[in-house]
Amino acid sequence: MSAPAIGNPFRQPKAVYAVAFACVISFMGIGLVDPILPALAHDLHASPSQVSLLFTSYLVVTAVAMLVTGWFSSRLGAKRTLIGGLALIVIFAAAAGSTDSIAGIVGFRAGWGLGNALFIATSLAVIVASASGGFVGGIILYETALGLGIAAGPLLGGELGSISWRGPFYGVSVLMAIALIATVVLLEPTPAPARRTSLADPIKALRHRGLLIMSLTAVCYNWGFFTMLGYAPFPLHLDAHHLGLVFTGWGVLVAIFSIFVAPRLQARFGTAASLYANFAALAVVMLAIGLNPGSRTTIAVAVIVSGAFIGVNNTLTTQAVMTVSPVPRPVASAAYGFVRFIGGGLAPYVAARLAESYGVSLPFLIGAGAFVLAALVLVTGHRLLAEAERRQSEDLVTATPPAPAEPDLADQPLLADQPLLADQPLLADQPLLADQLGLAAAQSGRGGRDAVQVELAAGTESSATPSERPIVVAVASSPAAGDAADEVIDAVIGMARMADCPVDVLRVLETEVFEDAAVDRESVEQARADVERHVGVLAGAGVAATGHVLRSVGDHGGVGRALARYAETVNARAIAVGGPSHGRFAALIDESATRTLLSEAPCNVVVVRHAADRAPVLSGEPA
C-alpha cells in the first residue's frame, strides 16, 4: 500500500507543468463567462435566452464530442489528442472575442467545447503518466490544478470582464497558447493504446442498466445545476466585478468539497445516501431562489452555498458511474459525459425562455424539481449501486502458486539481519502476534542500520484455528514502489514461518475520481503480473500463498476499507502493509488509506517501514 517516495510532488518535469497549467485554464472555462453574461446581453443587444446559448453550444458540442474522443485518442495517442484540443481552444476562444454578434460567439463557443472535450479526455492520464512521482505525484498536481481552475475562473472572468466582455475570451486564448507551445516542445510523444476504441462503444455501454440510470440521474442533476450557473447572473443585477466575486465564492466551495469533503461523506454514509442528502439540499437552495427572486442577497448566498453541494455531487456521481460500469473507464466516461452534458446544455436556454414568458421564479422552481427527480431516478438504481460497491471486495483475479518446496531453514536465517521491534514494549499488549514475533523480539538486540521496523495497531482476536488463518499482505501498485513491497514480503515470510500459516497477497486496483474526471492507477493485467511475482517469491520461500486483485473506486482511503473488508472475510491473523512514503504531500495520500485501515481492521496491522524512510539506527537500538 506504500507509494513511491517522491519527496515533493511539485518537483516535476516541465512538460507536466505545461499540461497542469493548461488544466487550470480548462477548468476556468465555464465559470469564466458567468460574470460577463449580463454585459454581453447589454452590449450586443441580446436577450438572456440568446446569451444563454453560450452554455448550450459549448456543452452540447462537448457532449457529442465525448462519443469520439476515445476513438481519436486510441488512434492518435494522448499527446496528439491533447495538442489538437489545445489548438482548437486557442483558435475558437480568440475568435469568440473578436466577433461582434451573439450568434458568432455562440458558434465559436461550440468549437471551444470540441477542443475542451479532446483536452479533458487525455489531460489527467498524461499528467499521471509523466509525473516524476508517478500516480501519487500526478494526483496531487491534478487536484491542485482542479482547485485553482474552478476557484479562479470566475475571479479572472470578473476582472477581465469589468474592462471588456472580450477580455475573458482573449485571456483564455493567450494562456492556452502558452500552454500549447510548452506542451508541443516539452511533452514526449505518447504511444497509442494497444486497444482501439470504437465509435459505437459509448452508445453500446448505455445498454447497461446501472450506467444508464446513473447517467439519467446526472441529466436531472445537471439540469438544476446549469439552471443556476447559466441563469442566476441575470436576476442578481450586478456588474462583472461583483458577479466574479460571487461565483468565485461558489468555485472555492466546489473545489474544497469535491476534493476533500466528498470522499469523507462517501466513506461515512455511502455513495447513495450522500447523494440523496445533497440532492435534497440543492432542491432547498433552488427553492429559496424561486420563492425570493427579487432578493439579490438571497440569490447570492444561495449561489455560493450551492457550490458545496455541487462539489460533492460532481465527485460522487462520477464515482458511482465508475463503480457500476462494467466497461473500461474511458468508455464509461464517454457514455456518461454524452448523456449528462446534454441536460446541462439545454437547461440555461430553457430557463431563460421560461423566465421571459412566465417570470423569474419558474426556472428555479423547475430546477428544484429536477434535483428531486434526480433522487427518484437514483432510487431505481439503488440496489445496483449497492451491489456494485459490495463487489469491490471480491476478487478480480486470483493467483495460486505451484506447490511450495520444502524451505531450507539452514540457508535462510530467519530474521538475523532483519530484527523486528527492538525494545518495543507494545508486544506485551498484543497477544495475537506475541507468539509470531516473540523470537524476533528476542533477537532484536542484533539489529543494525538496515533493520526493518514494524508498527502494530491493536485489533480484535479470533477463535479460529491459528494455522487456518492467513496473514494478509498488501503490496503497492507502482513499479517505483517495488523495493518497498519486496521488504514487506520479506518481513511476512518470517512471520508466516513462525506462525505456520498461509499468506494472502492483495493488490487493490484503484480508480481515483476527481470532480468529473477519473483515472485508473494500473490495468488488471499489470496488477495480476505483479501479484503473481510476489506469490512466486513466497512459494519459493516455502510459504503457502494465494494472490488476489480487488477494486476500489474513489479516494485513496477506499484502499484501506477494501483491505479491512477482505481481512474480515478470511478471518485474517494480521494485515501487513508498507508504511506511508516519505515526503509530506505524498504521505497525506498514503495516510488516508493507512488511517482507514487502522480504524476498520478486524485484526492487528503490521506496518513495515521502507528502508529509505527510516531514521538511522545506532548501537542496535532504533532512533
Side-chain angles (χ1 to χ4, degrees):
M1 191 168 63
S2 59
I6 66 174
N8 185 345
F10 297 105
R11 293 178 182 173
Q12 299 288 353
K14 295 178 180 178
V16 174
Y17 272 111
V19 179
F21 176 72
C23 285
V24 173
I25 310 307
S26 175
F27 292 133
M28 290 180 177
I30 294 179
L32 194 78
V33 301
D34 268 289
I36 62 171
L37 294 180
L40 280 171
H42 178 270
D43 293 351
L44 299 181
H45 308 291
S47 66
S49 59
Q50 291 175 312
V51 173
S52 69
L53 288 172
L54 269 71
F55 284 97
T56 301
S57 64
Y58 180 86
L59 292 173
V60 170
V61 170
T62 297
V64 176
M66 296 298 290
L67 298 177
V68 300
T69 53
W71 187 90
F72 276 108
S73 62
S74 65
R75 286 161 175 76
L76 302 178
K79 179 177 179 178
R80 291 178 180 176
T81 305
L82 196 71
I83 290 173
L86 287 172
L88 289 175
I89 295 173
V90 170
I91 293 170
F92 286 108
S98 300
T99 190
D100 292 316
S101 70
I102 194 66
I105 297 176
V106 169
F108 292 131
R109 277 280 285 180
W112 186 344
L114 174 60
N116 200 56
L118 293 172
F119 174 77
I120 62 177
T122 50
S123 57
L124 176 56
V126 168
I127 286 181
V128 168
S130 304
S132 60
F135 193 81
V136 174
I139 292 308
I140 295 172
L141 200 60
Y142 188 82
E143 285 184 336
T144 303
L146 173 68
L148 286 175
I150 293 176
L155 184 63
L156 180 63
E159 295 306 311
L160 295 177
S162 63
I163 300 171
S164 168
W165 63 262
R166 302 178 191 272
F169 299 116
Y170 286 138
V172 167
S173 182
V174 170
L175 293 174
M176 277 300 197
I178 295 172
L180 171 62
I181 294 171
T183 301
V184 170
V185 174
L186 300 174
L187 185 63
E188 295 294 328
T190 56
R195 178 185 179 277
R196 292 188 173 186
T197 301
S198 159
L199 288 174
D201 283 349
I203 299 297
K204 291 179 180 178
L206 290 172
R207 297 174 182 173
H208 184 266
R209 184 168 178 265
L211 179 58
L212 179 61
I213 288 175
M214 289 310 308
S215 299
L216 293 176
T217 299
V219 167
C220 300
Y221 156 63
N222 274 270
W223 188 282
F225 167 27
F226 281 99
T227 293
M228 177 175 292
L229 191 65
Y231 186 71
F234 293 102
L236 274 170
H237 300 295
L238 297 174
D239 59 29
H241 173 74
H242 289 94
L243 277 174
L245 294 178
V246 169
F247 281 94
T248 296
W250 168 86
V252 169
L253 290 184
V254 170
I256 292 174
F257 277 74
S258 65
I259 295 173
F260 300 109
V261 179
R264 288 165 174 78
L265 289 176
Q266 192 278 336
R268 177 66 178 84
F269 302 106
T271 303
S274 299
L275 286 173
Y276 292 141
N278 272 270
F279 288 143
L282 281 167
V284 171
V285 169
M286 291 290 277
L287 189 62
I289 299 177
L291 297 177
N292 298 276
S295 172
R296 286 193 296 185
T297 301
T298 298
I299 299 174
V301 171
V303 167
I304 294 172
V305 170
S306 73
F309 306 119
I310 287 169
V312 170
N313 274 285
N314 284 350
T315 294
L316 293 189
T317 50
T318 304
Q319 181 171 325
V321 167
M322 296 301 113
T323 301
V324 303
S325 174
V327 299
R329 183 201 56 77
V331 176
S333 295
Y336 165 66
F338 165 67
V339 176
R340 73 185 181 94
F341 279 132
I342 291 293
L346 296 178
Y349 177 74
V350 173
R353 291 302 300 267
L354 289 173
E356 290 168 2
S357 301
Y358 302 103
V360 176
S361 292
L362 185 58
F364 294 104
L365 295 176
I366 291 177
F371 289 127
V372 173
L373 183 59
L376 294 177
V377 173
L378 180 59
V379 168
T380 66
H382 185 105
R383 183 183 58 81
L384 290 172
L385 180 57
E387 179 67 15
E389 290 182 317
R390 185 192 64 78
R391 286 199 306 269
Q392 290 189 65
S393 61
E394 297 179 351
D395 289 354
L396 296 175
V397 174
T398 300
T400 305
E406 286 292 325
D408 188 353
L409 297 180
D411 295 334
Q412 298 184 34
L414 185 53
L415 289 170
D417 297 324
Q418 299 188 71
L420 304 181
L421 292 164
D423 299 326
Q424 297 279 346
L426 183 59
L427 278 176
D429 298 325
Q430 302 293 328
L432 182 60
L433 288 178
D435 293 340
Q436 300 173 37
L437 300 179
L439 176 60
Q443 295 177 339
S444 63
R446 300 172 57 188
R449 182 178 300 272
D450 294 327
V452 175
Q453 300 177 7
V454 177
E455 300 173 355
L456 297 179
T460 57
E461 295 189 55
S462 170
S463 59
T465 304
S467 61
E468 298 175 352
R469 299 168 58 202
I471 295 173
V472 172
V473 55
V475 292
S477 56
S478 169
D483 292 342
D486 290 342
E487 289 180 1
V488 178
I489 294 295
D490 289 342
V492 169
I493 288 173
M495 294 164 56
R497 285 174 176 168
M498 283 187 286
D500 188 24
C501 68
V503 172
D504 284 359
V505 180
L506 297 190
R507 167 79 115 246
V508 180
L509 191 66
E510 291 182 76
T511 298
E512 289 272 358
V513 176
F514 314 91
E515 244 253 337
D516 294 332
V519 63
D520 295 328
R521 185 159 190 159
E522 62 181 338
S523 67
V524 174
E525 292 73 22
Q526 290 170 323
R528 180 206 299 269
D530 204 43
V531 166
E532 288 177 345
R533 181 178 70 84
H534 290 301
V535 168
V537 170
L538 287 161
V543 176
T546 304
H548 309 273
V549 178
L550 311 180
R551 181 180 295 279
S552 172
V553 178
D555 72 311
H556 199 56
V559 176
R561 285 186 289 276
L563 294 175
R565 284 196 298 266
Y566 181 88
E568 183 176 12
T569 300
V570 300
N571 196 18
R573 171 186 303 267
I575 304 171
V577 299
S581 57
H582 71 270
R584 294 180 181 178
F585 294 101
L588 287 176
I589 286 185
D590 262 2
E591 184 182 10
S592 65
T594 305
R595 185 189 299 112
T596 302
L597 176 60
L598 293 177
S599 66
E600 299 186 15
C603 57
N604 289 292
V605 178
V606 181
V607 182
V608 182
R609 296 284 183 182
H610 182 32
D613 300 321
R614 298 195 300 268
V617 179
L618 303 177
S619 303
E621 296 184 4

